[in-house]
Amino acid sequence: MELDPGVYFATGLQEEEKAAVNKRSPKVLEALQKLNIQAEQAPVIAVLGSGGGLRAHIACLGVLSEMKELGLLDAVTYLAGVSGSTWALSSFYINNGNMEGMEEELKHRYEDNRWHFGESLKKAIQAARRENYSMTDFWAYFVVSRQTRELQDSNLSSIKKQVEEGLLPYPIFAAIDGDLQPDWKKRKTQKSWFEFTPHHAGYPALGAFVPITQFGSRFENGTLVIPEPERDLTYLRGLWGSALADIEEIKKYIWGEYLRGPQGPKPRDRYLVDEALLDLMMAYVKDQNDPSIKDKLRALQQVLSAERDEFGEQRYIWLDEIVQNWDEISPKEKEQFLEYLLYCFMRPRELHEGAKSNSMNRIEGLIQDVFTFLSKTGICCWRWEWGTVYNFLYKHGNITDEAIQSREFLHLVDAGLAINTPYPLVLPPARGAHLILSFDFSAGDPLETIRATADYCRCHAIPFPEVREDQLKEWAKAPESCYILRGETGPVVMHFTLFNISNCGDDIETWRKKYDTMKLSDSYTPDLVKDLLRVSKENVQMNKDNILNEMRKIAV
């Protein structure tokens, strides 16, 4: 029942999703026929991708590419992902499911060390103007965009056309409400799960949603109060992919790699200048009298010292004098100089020309925006505040749960903090999955997601294949490429492990270390990308017959 143009409640499949799935069914039947599988009704096959950072992003693209090549992907009704797999899925849909040239594009992206720091900064500055800025905004525009080497300006609603026409599987992106599950292992709450599709965003357990175009807008008592523009996919990627295994480690990671500037020798290219400057500004915002500011200014000078003009002269010789006389410069002159540097940072051409006359009056707003961004980022990092968005159920009369309707803001985070795969979003009876192909790109035990899902399903009486703990432990010692799990009711589950004895032999641990979750994209060479794509594709290739056999069994 729709209560108003924004917030609404629905049971079962929503009309837009139902229509898209109905349009997809003939395509599924056609694909099965090409695979020599006859069926009168299209079975519901779901493909799931787990989290795992950049490793999951690249490996999931490899899986989608190989499934497309083998004609298997056209028989799929749902694609769902958590964390790093959502990065791959968003790329897949933005490219209209076209996987041609994907491998070469990925290799070139990391070969060229492509990352538009200036564009990322502009996006982050714009986000900082919002009341609900959090670490997720910083993470999205500086970490995720750097890891994936792409900024996605498109919105989630922009991908719905091909989905509505049934040309692509229906996508589901997972997050969780971080405020509702401080103790996940004991509570395993259903209502914390939050889903995004090209049509809606909301709580499936509550049946409460808003159109995806209004996600992030401000509501009160079910009424739209302040409309906000739909957030771009780069931001949503940051929200979906913000799993933090260790708070202290991730703080060091952020401050060390992104806020304090580059550590150690790296390729000398333009983003080093940007990071050195941001490092300088962060120190200045935190404490204008910080003695390390001079050292950071010297570090910027060293980065710039290699740049020469057409006559072979150092371009930024004037920085030497500033560094040498820094202690004698008045606080006001220091502020003006740093403001000028910020201006140059946003206008690199004028930095090259050394132009600084009459610039200050034109950039006061820009300076304020940058300082606001830096200050807000520092505060959010100190508070460790993530995923802050307006709560569309705030003071809603139809919600009796105080924990839901009393909060003005939600804090949505990576669903991998609960279960590192989106089983809870495809298992509801309304979606009617007959076969689930679960690709696990996790670090460590590749059977943990099965264990966690089985526990979750037992708690909530959801049909799922029974698994024994001793069996899972034995499997984890030498993971095979695929496990087929069956229950008396519910879907058949095919669980694929990324690094296994078939594609890695006895070197599974070596492969895991080589593709560590927190490994920076700067360390990803084209060969590393190629090898990761290869092993992910092999998992599909070597199990093609198994997949086809299971498809035949569910065809009716």
Side-chain angles (χ1 to χ4, degrees):
M1 181 180 66
E2 187 171 320
L3 300 180
D4 54 58
V7 179
Y8 63 94
F9 291 79
T11 56
L13 290 188
Q14 297 180 49
E15 290 304 316
E16 296 88 350
E17 179 179 342
K18 186 185 299 182
V21 170
N22 287 339
K23 280 276 192 178
R24 181 67 177 169
S25 293
K27 310 291 184 185
V28 170
L29 287 173
E30 184 180 336
L32 290 174
Q33 192 170 25
K34 290 180 180 178
L35 295 168
N36 296 317
I37 299 174
Q38 302 302 317
E40 294 182 5
Q41 292 183 338
V44 176
I45 301 171
V47 171
L48 311 187
S50 81
L54 187 54
R55 176 186 62 250
H57 170 57
I58 296 173
C60 187
L61 285 174
V63 166
L64 294 175
S65 177
E66 192 61 24
M67 289 193 70
K68 183 77 172 176
E69 178 70 21
L70 298 177
L72 299 172
L73 194 59
D74 292 331
V76 172
T77 303
Y78 286 103
L79 281 180
V82 164
S83 197
S85 285
T86 66
W87 305 349
L89 294 185
S90 60
S91 293
F92 172 79
Y93 283 97
I94 286 299
N95 289 296
N96 296 319
N98 182 11
M99 304 303 293
E100 292 182 13
M102 177 273 299
E103 184 170 345
E104 287 304 312
E105 161 62 18
L106 271 177
K107 287 189 291 185
H108 287 317
R109 194 179 298 167
Y110 293 98
E111 185 176 42
D112 298 342
N113 203 20
R114 229 185 286 168
W115 182 44
H116 302 293
F117 183 92
E119 289 300 313
S120 292
L121 179 66
K122 288 177 185 177
K123 292 283 189 182
I125 288 172
Q126 291 170 4
R129 295 172 186 153
R130 294 174 175 264
E131 179 184 1
N132 49 13
Y133 178 86
S134 71
M135 283 304 296
T136 297
D137 295 89
F138 178 89
W139 184 264
Y141 295 115
F142 281 97
V143 181
V144 175
S145 71
R146 177 175 172 178
Q147 290 293 81
T148 61
R149 300 296 196 214
E150 56 184 344
L151 278 169
Q152 292 187 337
D153 293 326
S154 301
N155 309 117
L156 190 50
S157 64
S158 70
I159 70 175
K160 66 183 181 182
K161 182 178 179 182
Q162 296 229 50
V163 170
E164 289 176 343
E165 293 175 353
L167 300 176
L168 296 175
Y170 198 82
I172 308 169
F173 302 88
I176 53 169
D177 186 333
D179 295 332
L180 296 184
Q181 59 158 60
D183 192 357
W184 164 260
K185 290 185 178 180
K186 290 182 179 178
R187 297 171 63 187
K188 297 182 176 63
T189 177
Q190 281 183 292
K191 65 184 179 183
S192 65
W193 282 83
F194 199 97
E195 71 179 27
F196 296 80
T197 78
H199 296 106
H200 66 261
Y203 296 93
L206 300 176
F209 304 93
V210 288
I212 190 62
T213 53
Q214 294 181 2
F215 170 74
S217 293
R218 189 167 189 169
F219 290 84
E220 189 168 332
N221 196 21
T223 301
L224 180 63
V225 177
I226 302 176
E228 295 280 354
E230 183 181 355
R231 296 305 300 265
D232 61 35
L233 274 169
T234 295
Y235 170 78
L236 291 179
R237 282 175 145 198
L239 189 154
W240 300 328
S242 56
L244 312 174
D246 186 295
I247 288 179
E248 293 306 315
E249 284 303 310
I250 204 70
K251 280 184 178 179
K252 293 176 185 177
Y253 177 71
I254 290 174
W255 284 99
E257 296 293 341
Y258 290 89
L259 297 182
R260 286 194 4 245
Q263 306 294 310
K266 293 184 180 180
R268 187 180 299 279
D269 81 297
R270 192 65 202 169
Y271 87 84
L272 287 180
V273 177
D274 298 334
E275 291 196 17
L277 183 54
L278 184 58
D279 183 22
L280 172 63
M281 294 305 165
M282 283 298 296
Y284 183 75
V285 169
K286 289 173 67 178
D287 182 3
Q288 297 179 9
N289 297 314
D290 186 345
S292 72
I293 291 176
K294 184 176 180 179
D295 294 332
K296 296 177 187 303
L297 185 61
R298 185 178 289 110
L300 174 63
Q301 173 199 21
Q302 291 173 351
V303 172
L304 290 170
S305 64
E307 298 197 24
R308 307 282 169 170
D309 61 21
E310 61 271 27
F311 304 107
E313 299 293 330
Q314 185 178 334
R315 286 184 183 276
Y316 311 107
I317 193 68
W318 45 271
L319 261 179
D320 295 344
E321 184 177 353
I322 296 292
V323 173
Q324 292 172 9
N325 297 288
W326 185 253
D327 294 333
E328 284 71 45
I329 298 175
S330 70
K332 184 64 177 177
E333 289 173 323
K334 289 178 181 178
E335 182 179 353
Q336 288 177 340
F337 174 72
L338 292 176
E339 286 176 346
Y340 163 62
L341 279 183
L342 272 176
Y343 173 65
C344 295
F345 172 62
M346 300 300 289
R347 298 286 298 276
R349 182 178 177 183
E350 296 196 20
L351 176 60
H352 280 282
E353 296 171 354
K356 51 185 174 179
S357 59
N358 300 319
S359 63
M360 300 315 300
N361 290 335
R362 295 184 289 147
I363 62 165
E364 287 182 358
L366 173 63
I367 298 302
Q368 185 59 48
D369 282 346
V370 174
F371 272 48
T372 297
F373 155 66
L374 295 174
S375 299
K376 280 191 171 183
T377 300
I379 291 170
C380 288
C381 192
W382 179 260
R383 294 176 178 171
W384 210 236
E385 181 178 353
W386 290 78
T388 307
V389 296
Y390 291 120
N391 179 11
F392 65 89
L393 296 176
Y394 180 53
K395 294 184 178 179
H396 201 296
N398 283 53
I399 298 294
T400 58
D401 191 322
E402 182 71 12
I404 296 288
Q405 64 95 28
S406 64
R407 293 173 294 156
E408 184 177 359
F409 297 99
L410 305 176
H411 294 96
L412 300 178
V413 293
D414 193 318
L417 292 170
I419 300 177
N420 198 29
T421 194
Y423 278 109
L425 299 184
V426 299
L427 287 172
R431 286 189 166 132
H434 300 100
L435 175 63
I436 295 176
L437 309 183
S438 171
F439 290 88
D440 194 291
F441 313 118
S442 306
D445 185 352
L447 283 308
E448 174 57 33
T449 50
I450 291 293
R451 177 184 292 108
T453 302
D455 288 345
Y456 173 88
C457 290
R458 276 194 292 270
C459 286
H460 301 292
I462 298 171
F464 192 79
E466 286 290 329
V467 289
R468 301 193 319 270
E469 180 60 25
D470 61 334
Q471 188 179 46
L472 292 175
K473 287 183 177 179
E474 187 64 27
W475 288 349
K477 292 178 182 177
E480 296 180 4
S481 63
C482 178
Y483 297 90
I484 302 176
L485 310 175
R486 308 178 196 278
E488 293 182 4
T489 60
V492 175
V493 173
M494 300 186 72
H495 186 76
F496 302 83
T497 63
L498 176 58
F499 301 132
N500 53 71
I501 57 175
S502 296
N503 60 15
C504 299
D506 296 329
D507 294 329
I508 293 176
E509 199 57 40
T510 301
W511 279 84
R512 289 174 180 169
K513 290 179 180 178
K514 185 164 64 170
Y515 294 99
D516 182 74
T517 303
M518 299 307 295
K519 186 183 184 74
L520 283 173
S521 60
D522 296 353
S523 303
Y524 269 78
T525 64
D527 285 341
L528 279 177
V529 173
K530 182 179 178 181
D531 285 346
L532 187 52
L533 286 171
R534 176 179 56 79
V535 296
S536 64
K537 288 180 176 184
E538 285 178 356
N539 279 353
V540 179
Q541 292 167 356
M542 69 179 71
N543 287 289
K544 178 184 176 182
D545 289 341
N546 289 332
I547 295 172
L548 290 175
N549 286 337
E550 295 305 320
M551 286 182 173
R552 288 190 186 94
K553 290 177 182 178
I554 62 170
V556 294

